[in-house]
Amino acid sequence: RRQFIQLFPDRAPLLLFPPNECGVQKFISTTISPTLTPFPDLYNLEPCASFVADYLEYFALDNPLKLPQIIPSSQTVLELRAGDAFDFSILLVSLLRGAEYEAYCVS
């Protein structure tokens, strides 16, 4: 993180270890958990993306220029049936990786 700040002083800080819904800091890559569902329809890209878009309610961040305060687990997002863009992308990537897609969250 220090090296990134030195090399790119004008860029926003990296989101490396935000707290989860329990207040525990987790390395962001461990938040993405390959998840294979028992629903074969979700093994393909388009139905999977449609499921995430249609099943969840989208809540915009209070300030879209700032990073979110917490990054909940995909299980919590599914239980709440709601999330922001970060939550949607992490859930979608988790589902796609479970279906053996090479999927990543990038900014």
Side-chain angles (χ1 to χ4, degrees):
R1 187 172 195 171
R2 283 181 284 191
Q3 183 179 10
F4 179 84
I5 292 169
Q6 287 177 337
L7 292 173
F8 307 102
D10 299 329
R11 292 196 57 189
L14 295 173
L15 184 64
L16 294 177
F17 44 90
N20 66 9
E21 67 274 16
C22 298
V24 176
Q25 286 190 316
K26 288 186 68 177
F27 189 57
I28 194 71
S29 65
T30 62
T31 305
I32 297 169
S33 176
T35 306
L36 184 61
T37 69
F39 307 106
D41 290 349
L42 297 181
Y43 297 171
N44 295 311
L45 175 63
E46 288 185 26
C48 189
S50 293
F51 167 76
V52 171
D54 297 339
Y55 182 74
L56 304 176
E57 184 176 353
Y58 174 74
F59 289 111
L61 293 169
D62 292 332
N63 183 344
L65 300 177
K66 290 189 176 182
L67 297 172
Q69 295 294 319
I70 65 164
I71 300 288
S73 68
S74 294
Q75 179 179 345
T76 299
V77 173
L78 286 171
E79 288 172 1
L80 296 174
R81 294 185 63 180
D84 58 36
F86 285 86
D87 304 335
F88 278 40
S89 62
I90 290 170
L91 174 60
L92 180 59
V93 167
S94 294
L95 293 172
L96 290 174
R97 291 191 64 87
E100 299 185 6
Y101 279 85
E102 285 292 322
Y104 304 94
C105 291
V106 295
S107 64

